[in-house]
Amino acid sequence: MAGPTTARRGDERNRKPKRKSPAGSSQAPKNGGKGGKAGGKSKSAGAAGARTGLRRLLPGSRPRLILWVLAVALAGAGAGWVLYGSGWLRATRVDVDGVEVLSAAEVREAAAVPLGDPLISVDTDAIAARLRERLPRIESVDVSRDWPHGVAVEVTERQPRAIVEKDGKFVEIDGSGVRFATVDRPPAKVPRLVMEAPADAPSTRRFGRPRLEREGVRAAAALPSDVRRDTRVIRVRSYDSIIMELTGGRTVVWGSGERGDAKARSLTALMKAAHGADHFDVSAPGAPAASGS
């Protein structure tokens, strides 16, 4: 018969030892525990409170936003109607300035401004392009809107630096060598360009007649203004041989069309120093020469 001591030992064998948890570790409560639930509820309550506070701070904000959008839309529609649909801002006149040989009527006809159209829709670039194409005498042009009803056209005309006689008429040529007009009578104090270079000459074969003509015109454009007024004929014999005939039987040997500014300065100084001379050579501007009575 077993005694009490034996019974206690049997109970101790049947008991399993409890495992100790690692030091410093703690088991979190399942499902976040009561603390997690409380935190989630707190955040939801905070967001709801913020929305409620915003509604209290901005009462009726949505109606005011709708009214503001409608006001902007109405203002834009009104501005569009004033610019395009009303009769208040329409092109009714064309003001022309800067013409000398051309007439304002010629410019208006060539411009073809769509009178009666909304001024905002008038294409100023297209008008300027039409003027340059239809009127070669125009060197440059500026077209702008002149509110509330006008279109302003500012013209700069080409100036003839030489003329070429052809079939009894006279072709005007500007300083860039552009032939821009044919007239019945030569303009006053514009020299006549005479091409004397033979067609089979080396200079003509190398450069071509149009290039030689441009060199003669370039020489004429570089002349001092007082000398240009006295120049009657420009003779182009080759690329390097351009000669000016002035009033009073005077002549100027210019050489090529190059270094025009230096030659003009040398000619001015030479004419002041040699009052009685009638022949001037500035083909080498660094060593000009004068001769004659």
Side-chain angles (χ1 to χ4, degrees):
M1 181 175 180
T5 304
T6 305
R8 283 196 302 268
R9 288 177 179 172
D11 290 339
E12 289 175 0
R13 292 191 193 101
N14 293 331
R15 289 195 193 108
K16 294 181 179 180
K18 294 182 179 180
R19 294 180 180 179
K20 294 183 180 181
S21 300
S25 65
S26 60
Q27 295 182 356
K30 294 182 180 180
N31 299 327
K34 294 183 180 180
K37 293 180 180 179
K41 291 180 180 179
S42 176
K43 290 180 181 178
S44 300
R51 288 194 294 270
T52 303
L54 183 61
R55 293 193 190 99
R56 290 175 180 174
L57 289 173
L58 301 173
S61 60
R62 182 174 296 177
R64 283 206 302 272
L65 178 61
I66 294 173
L67 289 175
W68 183 83
V69 171
L70 288 175
V72 171
L74 289 174
W81 179 81
V82 169
L83 290 173
Y84 291 96
S86 74
W88 298 341
L89 301 175
R90 292 185 177 270
T92 60
R93 73 176 193 277
V94 179
D95 299 323
V96 179
D97 194 16
V99 292
E100 297 178 9
V101 178
L102 294 170
S103 67
E106 288 178 294
V107 174
R108 291 191 184 96
E109 182 180 358
V113 177
L115 296 178
D117 284 6
L119 190 59
I120 190 67
S121 68
V122 173
D123 190 340
T124 57
D125 291 337
I127 294 172
R130 283 196 295 272
L131 287 169
R132 287 191 294 266
E133 178 183 358
R134 298 175 182 179
L135 298 175
R137 186 177 290 275
I138 292 178
E139 181 177 19
S140 63
V141 61
D142 180 65
V143 181
S144 60
R145 300 179 185 89
D146 187 13
W147 299 95
H149 302 296
V151 175
V153 179
E154 179 72 26
V155 170
T156 301
E157 295 183 2
R158 298 182 188 274
Q159 300 299 319
R161 297 304 184 194
I163 56 173
V164 173
E165 188 173 0
K166 183 179 180 181
D167 299 330
K169 295 184 180 296
F170 301 91
V171 180
E172 294 180 311
I173 309 173
D174 72 356
S176 300
V178 176
R179 296 188 174 202
F180 62 89
T182 300
V183 295
D184 295 328
R185 293 188 299 177
K189 297 182 178 180
V190 176
R192 184 162 54 96
L193 182 65
V194 178
M195 302 297 296
E196 295 183 345
D200 59 348
S203 184
T204 306
R205 289 199 306 267
R206 178 181 179 185
F207 297 103
R209 187 179 178 86
R211 172 69 182 278
L212 297 182
E213 182 178 287
R214 288 196 298 272
E215 289 301 309
V217 175
R218 184 164 70 147
L223 285 170
S225 57
D226 55 340
V227 177
R228 189 186 307 119
R229 286 192 297 267
D230 292 340
T231 303
R232 295 294 175 260
V233 179
I234 304 168
R235 299 189 182 277
V236 180
R237 295 175 177 171
S238 70
Y239 182 85
D240 295 318
S241 180
I242 300 173
I243 299 174
M244 320 287 190
E245 294 182 1
L246 281 58
T247 57
R250 296 171 295 168
T251 59
V252 176
V253 177
W254 195 262
S256 70
E258 299 173 3
R259 302 185 64 189
D261 292 341
K263 292 176 181 179
R265 291 192 296 268
S266 293
L267 182 59
T268 299
L270 192 61
M271 286 184 165
K272 288 181 179 179
H275 294 287
D278 56 14
H279 182 79
F280 306 91
D281 188 339
V282 292
S283 56
S291 62
S293 56

